[in-house]
Amino acid sequence: MMVCRMINSRMPPQGGFAYLWTLMLIGFMGVSLVIGSHLYQTTMQREKEAELLFIGRQFRTAFERYKTSGPENAKDQYPATLEDLLKDPRFPNTVRHLRKFYRDPMTGKNEWAPVLINGRVVGVHSLSEQKPIKQDNFEAADASFRGKDKYSEWVFTFPPDLLVKENGKDKTGEVGTGIGTQSPNGPVPPVSGGMTGKGNTGVVPPDANEGKGK
């Protein structure tokens, strides 16, 4: 009887080790969940970035088609509104340069900020202020997006380098003017505080897009 008591007194407390392993297991699971969630969010953001680049190129192509087509007396001009890409007002019949207004994958909304020069829409950009994951390795047409801090700085124009400055001047020949807001009724004068320092950009309201994309 005395021998059994001595043996039992020398055995380690099994319950304490089990409790410790349970805490460690819970800790490992928590870290794994955090890492997994971060990887998932990163993957989803990268997919949205790729979608934004695709949609932006659709807009860029639409601007190119609009500018390079049209009647003889209305060629080589940009649209007055983004809606003109869906139905070119220069033609008596329906001519579409853009199939539909796409939803902005970064904001989840059917809203885009148009960029204006001389009262004409020359490009668009997202309204998202989120920092991009992608910072390099863009296609040549998107090379100006390298190192940008916000998705709203990914501006899709035709030609792609339209807003690139040369010797303090834009390739349009204007200095510090030209990019303004756009209301549903048309362009309004540029105001200060814009994305490029040359004026604000406006928003295409969702109701302006209904029934025109199909």
Side-chain angles (χ1 to χ4, degrees), residues 52-128:
L52 177 60
L53 290 170
F54 169 79
I55 294 173
R57 290 163 190 154
Q58 298 302 304
F59 273 110
R60 181 181 290 145
T61 300
F63 286 120
E64 178 182 9
R65 290 173 178 170
Y66 190 100
K67 192 173 187 297
T68 56
S69 64
E72 287 298 326
N73 62 343
K75 279 187 176 181
D76 197 32
Q77 65 179 213
Y78 290 96
T81 69
L82 285 176
E83 289 182 315
D84 291 350
L85 296 176
L86 296 177
K87 187 179 185 300
D88 194 331
R90 300 173 298 176
F91 295 94
N93 56 318
T94 300
V95 175
R96 298 182 183 275
H97 304 288
L98 188 68
R99 186 171 63 88
K100 65 176 182 177
F101 279 131
Y102 296 88
R103 176 185 59 83
D104 182 349
M106 308 316 302
T107 64
K109 299 179 180 180
N110 195 11
E111 296 177 345
W112 297 90
V115 180
L116 275 67
I117 292 181
N118 294 331
R120 293 282 177 171
V121 185
V122 301
V124 296
H125 67 78
S126 171
L127 293 171
S128 174

Coordinates of all heavy atoms in Angstrom, one line a residue, residues 52-128:
L52 N -9.9 46.0 -62.5 CA -9.9 47.5 -62.7 C -9.0 47.8 -63.9 O -9.4 48.6 -64.8 CB -9.3 48.2 -61.5 CG -9.1 49.7 -61.6 CD1 -10.5 50.4 -61.9 CD2 -8.5 50.2 -60.3
L53 N -7.9 47.1 -64.1 CA -7.1 47.4 -65.3 C -7.8 47.0 -66.5 O -7.7 47.7 -67.6 CB -5.8 46.6 -65.1 CG -4.8 47.1 -64.0 CD1 -3.6 46.1 -63.8 CD2 -4.2 48.5 -64.4
F54 N -8.5 45.8 -66.5 CA -9.2 45.4 -67.7 C -10.3 46.4 -68.1 O -10.5 46.8 -69.2 CB -9.9 44.0 -67.4 CG -10.9 43.6 -68.5 CD1 -10.5 43.1 -69.7 CD2 -12.3 43.8 -68.2 CE1 -11.4 42.7 -70.7 CE2 -13.2 43.4 -69.2 CZ -12.8 42.9 -70.4
I55 N -11.1 46.9 -67.1 CA -12.2 47.8 -67.3 C -11.6 49.1 -67.8 O -12.1 49.8 -68.8 CB -13.0 48.0 -66.1 CG1 -13.8 46.7 -65.7 CG2 -14.0 49.2 -66.3 CD1 -14.5 46.8 -64.4
G56 N -10.5 49.6 -67.2 CA -9.9 50.8 -67.6 C -9.5 50.8 -69.1 O -9.6 51.8 -69.8
R57 N -9.0 49.6 -69.5 CA -8.5 49.5 -70.9 C -9.8 49.5 -71.8 O -9.6 49.9 -73.0 CB -7.7 48.2 -71.1 CG -6.4 48.3 -70.4 CD -5.7 46.9 -70.2 NE -4.5 47.0 -69.3 CZ -4.1 46.0 -68.6 NH1 -4.7 44.9 -68.6 NH2 -3.0 46.2 -67.9
Q58 N -10.9 49.0 -71.4 CA -12.1 49.1 -72.2 C -12.5 50.6 -72.4 O -12.9 51.0 -73.5 CB -13.3 48.3 -71.5 CG -13.0 46.9 -71.3 CD -12.8 46.1 -72.6 OE1 -13.6 46.2 -73.5 NE2 -11.6 45.5 -72.6
F59 N -12.4 51.4 -71.3 CA -12.7 52.8 -71.4 C -11.7 53.4 -72.4 O -12.1 54.2 -73.3 CB -12.6 53.5 -70.1 CG -13.9 53.5 -69.3 CD1 -14.0 52.7 -68.2 CD2 -15.0 54.2 -69.7 CE1 -15.2 52.7 -67.4 CE2 -16.1 54.2 -69.0 CZ -16.3 53.4 -67.8
R60 N -10.4 53.1 -72.3 CA -9.4 53.7 -73.1 C -9.6 53.4 -74.6 O -9.5 54.2 -75.5 CB -8.0 53.2 -72.7 CG -6.9 53.8 -73.5 CD -5.5 53.2 -73.1 NE -5.2 53.7 -71.7 CZ -4.5 52.9 -70.8 NH1 -4.2 51.7 -71.1 NH2 -4.2 53.5 -69.7
T61 N -10.0 52.1 -74.9 CA -10.3 51.7 -76.2 C -11.5 52.5 -76.7 O -11.6 52.9 -77.9 CB -10.6 50.2 -76.3 OG1 -9.4 49.5 -75.9 CG2 -10.9 49.8 -77.7
A62 N -12.5 52.7 -75.9 CA -13.7 53.4 -76.3 C -13.4 54.9 -76.6 O -13.9 55.4 -77.6 CB -14.8 53.4 -75.1
F63 N -12.5 55.5 -75.8 CA -12.1 56.9 -76.1 C -11.4 56.9 -77.5 O -11.6 57.9 -78.3 CB -11.2 57.4 -75.0 CG -11.9 57.8 -73.8 CD1 -11.6 57.2 -72.6 CD2 -12.9 58.8 -73.8 CE1 -12.3 57.5 -71.4 CE2 -13.6 59.1 -72.6 CZ -13.3 58.5 -71.4
E64 N -10.6 55.9 -77.7 CA -9.8 55.9 -79.0 C -10.8 55.8 -80.2 O -10.7 56.5 -81.2 CB -8.9 54.7 -79.0 CG -8.1 54.6 -80.3 CD -7.2 53.4 -80.3 OE1 -7.2 52.5 -79.4 OE2 -6.4 53.2 -81.3
R65 N -11.8 54.9 -80.0 CA -12.8 54.7 -81.1 C -13.6 55.9 -81.4 O -13.8 56.3 -82.5 CB -13.7 53.5 -80.8 CG -13.0 52.1 -80.8 CD -13.9 51.1 -80.3 NE -13.3 49.7 -80.4 CZ -13.8 48.6 -79.8 NH1 -14.9 48.7 -79.2 NH2 -13.2 47.5 -80.0
Y66 N -14.0 56.6 -80.3 CA -14.7 57.8 -80.4 C -13.9 58.9 -81.1 O -14.4 59.6 -82.0 CB -15.2 58.3 -79.1 CG -16.2 59.5 -79.1 CD1 -17.5 59.2 -78.9 CD2 -15.8 60.8 -79.4 CE1 -18.5 60.2 -79.0 CE2 -16.7 61.8 -79.4 CZ -18.1 61.5 -79.2 OH -19.0 62.6 -79.3
K67 N -12.7 59.0 -80.7 CA -11.8 60.1 -81.3 C -11.4 59.9 -82.7 O -11.2 60.8 -83.5 CB -10.6 60.3 -80.4 CG -9.8 61.5 -80.7 CD -8.6 61.6 -79.7 CE -7.9 63.0 -79.8 NZ -7.3 63.2 -81.1
T68 N -11.3 58.6 -83.1 CA -10.8 58.3 -84.4 C -12.0 58.0 -85.4 O -11.7 57.7 -86.6 CB -9.9 57.1 -84.4 OG1 -10.5 56.0 -83.8 CG2 -8.6 57.4 -83.6
S69 N -13.2 58.1 -84.9 CA -14.3 57.9 -85.9 C -15.2 59.2 -85.9 O -14.7 60.2 -85.5 CB -15.2 56.7 -85.4 OG -15.8 57.0 -84.1
G70 N -16.4 59.1 -86.5 CA -17.2 60.2 -86.5 C -17.3 60.8 -87.9 O -16.5 60.5 -88.8
P71 N -18.3 61.6 -88.2 CA -18.4 62.3 -89.5 C -17.2 63.2 -89.7 O -16.5 63.5 -88.8 CB -19.7 63.1 -89.3 CG -20.4 62.5 -88.2 CD -19.4 62.0 -87.3
E72 N -17.1 63.6 -91.0 CA -15.9 64.4 -91.4 C -15.8 65.7 -90.5 O -14.7 66.2 -90.2 CB -16.0 64.8 -92.9 CG -15.7 63.6 -93.8 CD -14.3 63.0 -93.5 OE1 -13.4 63.8 -93.3 OE2 -14.1 61.8 -93.6
N73 N -17.0 66.3 -90.3 CA -16.9 67.6 -89.5 C -16.8 67.4 -88.0 O -16.9 68.4 -87.3 CB -18.2 68.4 -89.9 CG -19.5 67.7 -89.5 OD1 -19.5 66.5 -89.2 ND2 -20.6 68.5 -89.4
A74 N -16.8 66.2 -87.5 CA -16.7 65.9 -86.1 C -15.7 64.9 -85.7 O -15.8 64.3 -84.7 CB -18.1 65.5 -85.6
K75 N -14.7 64.7 -86.5 CA -13.6 63.8 -86.2 C -12.6 64.4 -85.2 O -12.6 65.6 -85.0 CB -12.9 63.3 -87.5 CG -13.7 62.2 -88.2 CD -12.8 61.7 -89.4 CE -13.5 60.5 -90.1 NZ -12.7 60.0 -91.2
D76 N -11.8 63.5 -84.7 CA -10.7 64.0 -83.8 C -11.1 64.8 -82.6 O -10.6 65.8 -82.3 CB -9.6 64.7 -84.7 CG -8.3 64.8 -83.9 OD1 -8.0 63.9 -83.2 OD2 -7.6 65.8 -84.1
Q77 N -12.2 64.3 -82.0 CA -12.7 65.0 -80.8 C -13.1 64.0 -79.8 O -13.4 62.8 -80.1 CB -13.9 65.9 -81.1 CG -15.1 65.3 -81.6 CD -16.3 66.2 -81.8 OE1 -17.4 65.9 -81.7 NE2 -15.9 67.4 -82.3
Y78 N -13.0 64.4 -78.5 CA -13.4 63.5 -77.4 C -14.9 63.7 -77.1 O -15.5 64.8 -77.5 CB -12.6 63.9 -76.2 CG -11.1 63.5 -76.3 CD1 -10.2 64.4 -76.7 CD2 -10.7 62.2 -76.0 CE1 -8.8 64.0 -76.7 CE2 -9.4 61.8 -76.1 CZ -8.5 62.7 -76.5 OH -7.1 62.3 -76.6
P79 N -15.5 62.8 -76.4 CA -17.0 62.9 -76.0 C -17.2 64.0 -75.0 O -16.3 64.4 -74.2 CB -17.3 61.5 -75.5 CG -16.0 61.0 -75.0 CD -15.0 61.5 -75.9
A80 N -18.4 64.6 -75.1 CA -18.8 65.6 -74.1 C -19.1 65.0 -72.8 O -19.0 65.7 -71.7 CB -19.9 66.5 -74.7
T81 N -19.7 63.8 -72.8 CA -20.0 63.1 -71.6 C -19.7 61.6 -71.7 O -19.5 61.2 -72.9 CB -21.5 63.2 -71.3 OG1 -22.3 62.5 -72.2 CG2 -22.0 64.7 -71.3
L82 N -19.6 60.9 -70.6 CA -19.3 59.5 -70.7 C -20.5 58.7 -71.4 O -20.3 57.7 -72.0 CB -19.1 58.9 -69.3 CG -17.7 59.2 -68.7 CD1 -17.7 58.7 -67.3 CD2 -16.6 58.7 -69.5
E83 N -21.7 59.3 -71.3 CA -22.8 58.6 -72.0 C -22.7 58.6 -73.5 O -23.2 57.7 -74.1 CB -24.1 59.4 -71.6 CG -24.5 59.2 -70.1 CD -25.8 59.9 -69.9 OE1 -26.0 61.1 -70.3 OE2 -26.7 59.3 -69.2
D84 N -21.9 59.5 -74.0 CA -21.7 59.6 -75.5 C -20.9 58.3 -76.0 O -21.0 58.0 -77.1 CB -20.9 60.8 -75.9 CG -21.7 62.1 -75.7 OD1 -23.0 62.0 -75.5 OD2 -21.2 63.2 -75.8
L85 N -20.2 57.7 -75.0 CA -19.5 56.4 -75.4 C -20.5 55.3 -75.6 O -20.2 54.3 -76.4 CB -18.5 56.0 -74.3 CG -17.3 57.0 -74.1 CD1 -16.5 56.5 -72.9 CD2 -16.5 57.1 -75.4
L86 N -21.6 55.4 -75.0 CA -22.7 54.3 -75.1 C -23.5 54.5 -76.4 O -24.0 53.6 -77.0 CB -23.6 54.3 -73.9 CG -22.9 53.9 -72.6 CD1 -23.9 54.0 -71.4 CD2 -22.3 52.5 -72.6
K87 N -23.7 55.8 -76.7 CA -24.5 56.1 -77.9 C -23.9 57.4 -78.5 O -24.1 58.5 -77.9 CB -26.0 56.3 -77.6 CG -26.8 56.5 -78.9 CD -28.3 56.6 -78.5 CE -29.1 56.7 -79.8 NZ -28.8 57.8 -80.7
D88 N -23.1 57.3 -79.6 CA -22.4 58.4 -80.2 C -23.4 59.4 -80.8 O -24.1 59.0 -81.8 CB -21.4 57.9 -81.2 CG -20.5 59.0 -81.6 OD1 -20.8 60.2 -81.6 OD2 -19.3 58.6 -82.0
P89 N -23.6 60.6 -80.3 CA -24.6 61.5 -80.8 C -24.2 62.1 -82.2 O -25.1 62.8 -82.8 CB -24.6 62.7 -79.7 CG -23.2 62.6 -79.2 CD -22.8 61.2 -79.1
R90 N -23.1 61.8 -82.6 CA -22.7 62.4 -83.9 C -23.2 61.6 -85.1 O -23.2 62.0 -86.2 CB -21.1 62.4 -84.1 CG -20.4 63.2 -83.0 CD -18.9 63.0 -83.0 NE -18.5 61.6 -82.8 CZ -17.3 61.2 -82.8 NH1 -16.3 62.0 -83.1 NH2 -17.0 59.9 -82.6
F91 N -23.8 60.4 -84.8 CA -24.4 59.5 -85.8 C -25.9 59.5 -85.7 O -26.4 59.4 -84.5 CB -23.8 58.1 -85.7 CG -22.3 58.1 -86.0 CD1 -21.4 58.1 -85.0 CD2 -21.9 57.9 -87.3 CE1 -20.0 58.0 -85.3 CE2 -20.5 57.8 -87.6 CZ -19.6 57.9 -86.6
P92 N -26.7 59.4 -86.8 CA -28.1 59.3 -86.7 C -28.5 57.9 -86.1 O -29.6 57.8 -85.5 CB -28.6 59.5 -88.1 CG -27.4 59.1 -89.0 CD -26.2 59.5 -88.2
N93 N -27.7 56.9 -86.4 CA -28.0 55.6 -85.9 C -27.2 55.3 -84.7 O -26.4 56.1 -84.3 CB -27.7 54.5 -87.0 CG -26.3 54.6 -87.4 OD1 -25.8 55.7 -87.7 ND2 -25.6 53.5 -87.6
T94 N -27.5 54.2 -84.0 CA -26.9 53.9 -82.7 C -25.5 53.3 -83.0 O -25.3 52.3 -83.6 CB -27.7 52.8 -81.9 OG1 -29.0 53.4 -81.6 CG2 -27.0 52.5 -80.6
V95 N -24.5 54.0 -82.5 CA -23.1 53.6 -82.6 C -22.6 53.6 -81.1 O -22.5 54.6 -80.4 CB -22.3 54.6 -83.4 CG1 -20.8 54.2 -83.4 CG2 -22.8 54.6 -84.9
R96 N -22.1 52.4 -80.7 CA -21.6 52.3 -79.3 C -20.1 52.1 -79.4 O -19.6 51.2 -80.1 CB -22.2 51.1 -78.6 CG -23.8 51.2 -78.5 CD -24.3 50.0 -77.7 NE -25.7 50.0 -77.6 CZ -26.4 50.6 -76.7 NH1 -25.7 51.3 -75.7 NH2 -27.7 50.6 -76.6
H97 N -19.4 52.8 -78.6 CA -17.9 52.6 -78.4 C -17.6 51.9 -77.1 O -16.5 51.3 -77.0 CB -17.2 54.0 -78.4 CG -17.5 54.8 -79.6 ND1 -17.0 54.5 -80.9 CD2 -18.3 55.9 -79.8 CE1 -17.5 55.4 -81.7 NE2 -18.2 56.3 -81.1
L98 N -18.6 51.9 -76.2 CA -18.5 51.1 -75.0 C -19.8 50.4 -74.8 O -20.9 50.9 -74.9 CB -18.3 52.1 -73.8 CG -18.0 51.5 -72.4 CD1 -16.6 50.8 -72.4 CD2 -18.0 52.6 -71.3
R99 N -19.7 49.1 -74.5 CA -20.8 48.2 -74.4 C -21.7 48.6 -73.2 O -23.0 48.6 -73.3 CB -20.4 46.7 -74.3 CG -21.6 45.8 -74.4 CD -21.1 44.3 -74.5 NE -20.3 44.0 -73.3 CZ -20.9 43.4 -72.2 NH1 -22.2 43.3 -72.1 NH2 -20.1 43.1 -71.2
K100 N -21.1 48.9 -72.1 CA -21.9 49.3 -70.9 C -21.0 50.0 -69.9 O -19.7 50.0 -70.1 CB -22.4 48.0 -70.2 CG -21.3 47.1 -69.7 CD -21.9 45.9 -68.9 CE -20.8 45.1 -68.3 NZ -21.4 43.9 -67.5
F101 N -21.5 50.6 -68.9 CA -20.8 51.2 -67.8 C -20.5 50.1 -66.8 O -21.4 49.5 -66.3 CB -21.5 52.3 -67.1 CG -21.4 53.7 -67.8 CD1 -22.5 54.4 -68.1 CD2 -20.1 54.1 -68.3 CE1 -22.4 55.6 -68.8 CE2 -20.0 55.3 -68.9 CZ -21.1 56.1 -69.2
Y102 N -19.3 49.8 -66.6 CA -18.9 48.7 -65.7 C -18.9 49.2 -64.2 O -18.7 50.4 -63.9 CB -17.5 48.3 -66.0 CG -17.3 47.6 -67.3 CD1 -17.0 48.4 -68.5 CD2 -17.5 46.2 -67.5 CE1 -16.9 47.8 -69.7 CE2 -17.3 45.6 -68.8 CZ -17.0 46.4 -69.9 OH -16.9 45.9 -71.1
R103 N -19.1 48.3 -63.3 CA -19.0 48.6 -61.9 C -17.6 48.7 -61.5 O -16.8 47.9 -61.9 CB -19.7 47.5 -61.1 CG -19.6 47.6 -59.6 CD -20.2 46.4 -58.9 NE -19.5 45.1 -59.3 CZ -18.4 44.7 -58.8 NH1 -17.8 45.4 -57.8 NH2 -17.8 43.6 -59.2
D104 N -17.3 49.7 -60.7 CA -15.9 49.8 -60.2 C -15.6 48.7 -59.2 O -16.2 48.7 -58.2 CB -15.7 51.2 -59.6 CG -14.3 51.5 -59.1 OD1 -13.5 50.5 -59.0 OD2 -14.0 52.6 -58.7
P105 N -14.7 47.8 -59.5 CA -14.4 46.7 -58.6 C -13.8 47.1 -57.3 O -14.0 46.4 -56.3 CB -13.4 45.8 -59.4 CG -12.8 46.8 -60.3 CD -13.8 47.8 -60.7
M106 N -13.2 48.3 -57.2 CA -12.6 48.7 -56.0 C -13.6 49.3 -55.0 O -13.4 49.3 -53.8 CB -11.5 49.8 -56.3 CG -10.4 49.3 -57.3 SD -9.9 47.6 -57.1 CE -9.2 47.6 -55.5
T107 N -14.6 50.0 -55.5 CA -15.6 50.6 -54.6 C -16.9 49.8 -54.6 O -17.7 50.0 -53.7 CB -16.0 52.0 -55.1 OG1 -16.6 52.0 -56.4 CG2 -14.7 52.9 -55.2
G108 N -17.1 48.9 -55.6 CA -18.4 48.2 -55.7 C -19.5 49.0 -56.2 O -20.7 48.5 -56.2
K109 N -19.2 50.2 -56.7 CA -20.3 51.1 -57.1 C -20.2 51.4 -58.6 O -19.1 51.3 -59.2 CB -20.3 52.4 -56.4 CG -20.5 52.3 -54.9 CD -20.4 53.6 -54.2 CE -20.6 53.5 -52.7 NZ -20.5 54.8 -52.0
N110 N -21.3 51.7 -59.3 CA -21.3 52.0 -60.7 C -21.0 53.5 -60.9 O -21.8 54.2 -61.4 CB -22.6 51.6 -61.3 CG -22.5 51.6 -62.8 OD1 -21.5 51.6 -63.4 ND2 -23.7 51.5 -63.5
E111 N -19.9 53.9 -60.3 CA -19.5 55.3 -60.4 C -18.0 55.5 -60.8 O -17.2 54.7 -60.3 CB -19.7 56.0 -59.0 CG -21.1 56.1 -58.5 CD -21.2 56.7 -57.1 OE1 -20.2 56.8 -56.5 OE2 -22.3 57.0 -56.8
W112 N -17.8 56.4 -61.7 CA -16.5 56.7 -62.2 C -16.2 58.2 -62.2 O -17.2 59.0 -62.4 CB -16.2 56.1 -63.6 CG -16.4 54.6 -63.6 CD1 -17.5 53.9 -63.9 CD2 -15.3 53.7 -63.4 NE1 -17.2 52.6 -63.8 CE2 -15.9 52.4 -63.6 CE3 -13.9 53.8 -63.2 CZ2 -15.1 51.3 -63.4 CZ3 -13.2 52.7 -63.0 CH2 -13.8 51.4 -63.2
A113 N -15.0 58.6 -62.0 CA -14.7 60.0 -62.1 C -14.1 60.3 -63.5 O -13.1 59.8 -63.9 CB -13.6 60.4 -61.1
P114 N -14.8 61.1 -64.3 CA -14.3 61.5 -65.6 C -13.3 62.6 -65.5 O -13.3 63.5 -64.6 CB -15.6 62.0 -66.3 CG -16.5 62.5 -65.3 CD -16.2 61.7 -64.0
V115 N -12.3 62.6 -66.4 CA -11.3 63.6 -66.5 C -11.5 64.5 -67.7 O -11.7 64.0 -68.8 CB -9.9 63.0 -66.6 CG1 -8.8 64.0 -66.6 CG2 -9.7 62.0 -65.4
L116 N -11.6 65.8 -67.5 CA -12.0 66.7 -68.6 C -10.8 67.6 -69.0 O -10.0 68.0 -68.1 CB -13.1 67.6 -68.2 CG -14.6 67.0 -68.4 CD1 -14.8 65.9 -67.4 CD2 -15.6 68.1 -68.1
I117 N -10.7 67.8 -70.3 CA -9.8 68.8 -70.8 C -10.6 69.6 -71.9 O -11.2 69.1 -72.8 CB -8.6 68.2 -71.5 CG1 -7.7 67.6 -70.4 CG2 -7.8 69.3 -72.3 CD1 -6.4 66.9 -71.0
N118 N -10.6 70.9 -71.7 CA -11.4 71.8 -72.6 C -12.8 71.4 -72.7 O -13.4 71.4 -73.8 CB -10.7 71.8 -74.0 CG -9.4 72.5 -73.9 OD1 -9.1 73.4 -73.1 ND2 -8.5 72.1 -74.8
G119 N -13.4 70.9 -71.6 CA -14.8 70.6 -71.6 C -15.2 69.2 -72.2 O -16.3 68.9 -72.4
R120 N -14.1 68.5 -72.6 CA -14.3 67.2 -73.2 C -13.7 66.1 -72.3 O -12.7 66.3 -71.6 CB -13.7 67.1 -74.5 CG -14.3 68.0 -75.6 CD -15.6 67.3 -76.1 NE -16.3 68.2 -77.1 CZ -17.3 67.8 -77.8 NH1 -17.8 66.6 -77.7 NH2 -17.9 68.6 -78.6
V121 N -14.4 64.9 -72.2 CA -14.0 63.8 -71.4 C -12.8 63.1 -72.1 O -13.0 62.5 -73.2 CB -15.1 62.8 -71.1 CG1 -14.6 61.8 -70.1 CG2 -16.3 63.6 -70.5
V122 N -11.7 63.0 -71.5 CA -10.5 62.4 -72.1 C -10.1 61.1 -71.3 O -9.2 60.4 -71.8 CB -9.3 63.4 -72.2 CG1 -9.7 64.6 -73.0 CG2 -8.9 63.8 -70.7
G123 N -10.7 60.9 -70.2 CA -10.4 59.7 -69.4 C -11.2 59.5 -68.2 O -12.1 60.3 -67.9
V124 N -11.0 58.4 -67.5 CA -11.7 58.1 -66.3 C -10.7 57.6 -65.2 O -9.6 57.1 -65.6 CB -12.9 57.1 -66.5 CG1 -13.9 57.7 -67.4 CG2 -12.3 55.8 -67.0
H125 N -11.2 57.6 -64.0 CA -10.4 56.9 -62.9 C -11.4 56.5 -61.8 O -12.5 57.0 -61.7 CB -9.3 57.7 -62.4 CG -9.7 59.0 -61.6 ND1 -10.1 58.9 -60.3 CD2 -9.7 60.3 -62.0 CE1 -10.4 60.1 -59.9 NE2 -10.2 61.0 -60.9
S126 N -10.9 55.5 -61.0 CA -11.7 55.1 -59.9 C -11.8 56.1 -58.8 O -11.0 57.1 -58.7 CB -11.0 53.8 -59.3 OG -11.6 53.4 -58.1
L127 N -12.8 56.0 -57.9 CA -12.9 56.9 -56.8 C -12.2 56.4 -55.5 O -12.3 57.0 -54.5 CB -14.4 57.2 -56.5 CG -15.2 57.9 -57.6 CD1 -16.7 57.9 -57.3 CD2 -14.7 59.3 -57.7
S128 N -11.7 55.2 -55.6 CA -11.1 54.5 -54.5 C -9.8 55.2 -54.0 O -8.9 55.5 -54.9 CB -10.8 53.1 -54.8 OG -10.1 52.5 -53.7

